[in-house]
Amino acid sequence: MIKSPWIRSVRRALLSAGATVALAAGLLSATPTISQAATQQPCDIYAAGGTPCVAAHSTTRALYGTYNGPLYQVRRASDNATKDIGLLSTGGYADAAAQDSFCAGTSCVITDIYDQSGKGNNLTQAPAGGAASGPDNLANAFEAPVTVGGHKAYGVYVAPGTGYRNDHTNGIATGDQPEGMYAIFDGTHFNGGCCFDYGNAETNDHDTGNGHMEAIYFGNNKVWGSGSGNGPWIMADLENGLFSGVNQHLNTGDPTVTNRFLTAMVKGGPNQWAIRGGDAQSGSLSTFYNGVRPNVSGYNPMHKEGSIILGIGGDNSKGAQGTFYEGVMTQGYPSDATENAVQANITAAGYNSGSTSTGSLTPGSRISLQATTAPCCTNDYLRHNDADNKVVISNITSSSSATDKADATWIVRSGLANSSCLTFESANNPGQFLRHYNYELYASADTGAGSFAQDATFCPTTGNSGVGHSFQSVNFPTKYIRHYNFTGYIASNGGSNAWDSTTSWAQDTSWLTASPWN
């Protein structure tokens, strides 16, 4: 049962820490106040509710109002130097400009995600485990750009094969001890692989049996459990089962959720647990399950071990994909009232997709790329297909469907393999990038292959025809983005492939940077 004193204690803490009355009211009513960082942050709210954070991870913002340490560390490819990325101000937002400056002209990976709780529960590169070899890959530091409160930041883009872990933690629940956790994910970036998790796992990186994990899972894996619809779902990975409720497989009370920014929560104690979720940009939480432990042996009591994982399963299963922005783990079973106040803080933080302008080749700008080849194609634009993920050109006009217009719109990003060059993200399929494969262009998510970042990076030059811009492949510098027979390729001016034809090559590789159709 939720007692009214819990609610009063959260409100008192919000006010007593120096927040204004207006800000406190905004937190409790989920009214966005994104012009400046809130005085109270999620871990202050959990502490006020009697369930303090024992792990707090974020690459986008502070999770305590008084935190002023580093959020994460990046390592650049050019010389393997590392740099801690901190905050713009105490209790505020990530200093993304520090990453941009440090990684200029090269690429960077995220090596460490620091624990803000003071417990030292940092996340680092995951080692090998029972299900897969290691160490796991590290996330590309530029692959998940967003804005938070109007400030540029970067999330943790987990491609298959990427994973973080800490097997030597301090204060994380073990056995049947109660705990809570939340994470903010990209609700459009998922797959059916095992297992995109954040939470409590085994300390020896092997499957040690039912009930030895308690982690948030997000994806559409149906092997061990599912909810209503086709997914993705927020579920609990309790080891040897992804649970959407009391039953081992289907629980229709757990809905499909696809919010661009998704709040996912799991909490568990002696013979009780819950799944909650909501839109991280607006609105309140919904409870998808609240009840007793699963009706399968081994989960009551639980046997939690206290490791922390991100992006992988407890045995280092690493076939999943997803994007993580922030998350915490608590000591004790949080009340719904506390979690509701945390959700209000999250929606007030102001997560946004990171599109900040239009019509230019500046990272964050939304654009459309218009062909210049006359007379065939001057009303055609580079777009991805809906039937498959191939990239083509087609005629787009003001009377085109909303889907066609969106398919022909891209968000300019810093180059994944060279931040001084560019990568193009699909505007309507976040997390999918324009890349070449066998010289043909596709819009696809990072597969975890080592060449993906290079395949998705293009350096702008003056148009080869003298008009607009051309886009040079970073790993095939004689080849440029070209349309040929209405299909997208990277092509050189002459060569053994049909699309390397010298006929109209200069025009076919020159593009106008147009205002976005969507």
Side-chain angles (χ1 to χ4, degrees):
M1 296 294 289
I2 298 169
K3 306 294 187 182
S4 58
W6 287 99
I7 302 173
R8 290 196 297 271
S9 67
V10 173
R11 288 175 175 160
R12 284 197 302 270
L14 287 169
L15 294 169
S16 64
T20 65
V21 172
L23 179 57
L27 289 173
L28 292 171
S29 65
T31 301
T33 55
I34 65 172
S35 61
Q36 59 183 7
T39 301
Q40 288 287 288
Q41 298 291 30
C43 286
D44 303 309
I45 297 169
Y46 277 115
T51 51
C53 295
V54 288
H57 305 108
S58 176
T59 57
T60 63
R61 65 174 184 143
L63 300 178
Y64 291 84
T66 58
Y67 187 75
N68 197 28
L71 296 179
Y72 62 102
Q73 183 185 86
V74 295
R75 184 179 70 224
R76 64 188 177 199
S78 58
D79 59 1
N80 285 326
T82 60
K83 182 176 179 60
D84 287 348
I85 305 301
L87 296 161
L88 294 171
S89 61
T90 300
Y93 305 101
D95 183 5
Q99 173 179 311
D100 293 343
S101 176
F102 180 75
C103 301
T106 184
S107 62
C108 279
V109 293
I110 297 172
T111 57
D112 300 74
I113 306 170
Y114 294 116
D115 175 21
Q116 300 178 32
S117 75
K119 297 287 187 180
N121 292 321
N122 302 333
L123 294 174
T124 59
Q125 187 172 27
S133 61
D136 295 351
N137 297 332
L138 295 168
N140 187 303
F142 287 95
E143 211 157 8
V146 293
T147 59
V148 188
H151 300 275
K152 184 178 181 181
Y154 294 100
V156 183
Y157 187 105
V158 174
T162 300
Y164 295 83
R165 193 173 195 125
N166 186 332
D167 288 328
H168 305 283
T169 60
N170 178 21
I172 305 300
T174 59
D176 210 23
Q177 292 176 338
E179 67 178 346
M181 61 195 76
Y182 87 82
I184 299 178
F185 299 139
D186 178 347
T188 68
H189 184 207
F190 62 91
N191 67 4
C194 180
C195 290
F196 184 67
D197 289 351
Y198 173 73
N200 194 323
E202 293 95 339
T203 57
N204 68 354
D205 310 332
H206 286 69
D207 178 350
T208 52
N210 294 5
H212 284 251
M213 289 181 61
E214 186 165 66
I216 304 167
Y217 165 82
F218 181 68
N220 65 344
N221 187 307
K222 299 180 181 179
V223 175
W224 296 284
S226 63
S228 61
N230 295 319
W233 305 280
I234 303 168
M235 295 191 282
D237 189 342
L238 305 180
E239 191 53 279
N240 297 320
L242 298 175
F243 288 92
S244 55
V246 69
N247 299 313
Q248 185 172 21
H249 294 294
L250 175 65
N251 293 274
T252 58
D254 193 13
T256 291
V257 286
T258 57
N259 304 103
R260 172 61 178 86
F261 295 97
L262 175 69
T263 304
M265 292 184 173
V266 167
K267 55 184 174 181
N271 201 25
Q272 64 171 338
W273 71 288
I275 304 172
R276 306 187 77 198
D279 186 344
Q281 292 181 293
S282 65
S284 58
L285 294 171
S286 297
T287 300
F288 302 147
Y289 176 76
N290 182 21
V292 298
R293 289 292 185 180
N295 54 15
V296 183
S297 63
Y299 299 100
N300 184 32
M302 293 285 287
H303 314 282
K304 292 174 274 193
E305 297 188 27
S307 175
I308 306 174
I309 54 173
L310 172 60
I312 53 176
D315 59 359
N316 198 42
S317 296
K318 54 181 179 179
Q321 64 186 32
T323 300
F324 171 91
Y325 302 105
E326 65 179 70
V328 311
M329 300 175 68
T330 71
Q331 181 183 71
Y333 193 90
S335 70
D336 284 2
T338 296
E339 292 174 332
N340 293 343
V342 169
Q343 168 68 358
N345 173 278
I346 290 169
T347 60
Y351 274 92
N352 195 275
S353 64
S355 176
T356 55
S357 61
T358 61
S360 73
L361 291 178
T362 303
S365 179
R366 297 169 74 91
I367 63 167
S368 291
L369 291 173
Q370 184 177 5
T372 64
T373 309
C376 72
C377 309
T378 53
N379 291 319
D380 290 355
Y381 293 79
L382 197 70
R383 55 84 58 89
H384 66 83
N385 274 337
D386 291 318
D388 53 35
N389 63 344
K390 291 186 176 183
V391 170
V392 299
I393 61 168
S394 67
N395 184 264
I396 306 291
T397 68
S398 58
S399 60
S400 296
S401 70
T403 297
D404 286 344
K405 291 177 180 178
D407 291 348
T409 301
W410 305 88
I411 303 177
V412 180
R413 302 300 191 190
S414 297
L416 299 182
N418 182 334
S419 63
S420 296
C421 297
L422 302 174
T423 290
F424 299 99
E425 182 179 12
S426 169
N428 59 341
N429 289 327
Q432 293 191 8
F433 302 93
L434 179 70
R435 60 84 56 98
H436 64 82
Y437 180 77
N438 284 340
Y439 308 117
E440 191 168 353
L441 295 179
Y442 298 87
S444 66
D446 188 343
T447 59
S451 65
F452 183 90
Q454 290 186 315
D455 295 346
T457 300
F458 304 92
C459 299
T461 67
T462 300
N464 289 322
S465 68
V467 174
H469 290 89
S470 293
F471 301 98
Q472 181 183 38
S473 168
V474 77
N475 53 346
F476 290 92
T478 65
K479 297 181 183 293
Y480 294 77
I481 292 177
R482 179 188 190 172
H483 64 86
Y484 180 81
N485 284 343
F486 302 99
T487 300
Y489 297 93
I490 57 167
S492 57
N493 190 12
S496 59
N497 301 305
W499 52 84
D500 294 324
S501 169
T502 59
T503 303
S504 73
W505 179 86
Q507 284 185 301
D508 293 350
T509 58
S510 297
W511 304 85
L512 296 179
T513 304
S515 296
W517 278 109
N518 178 255

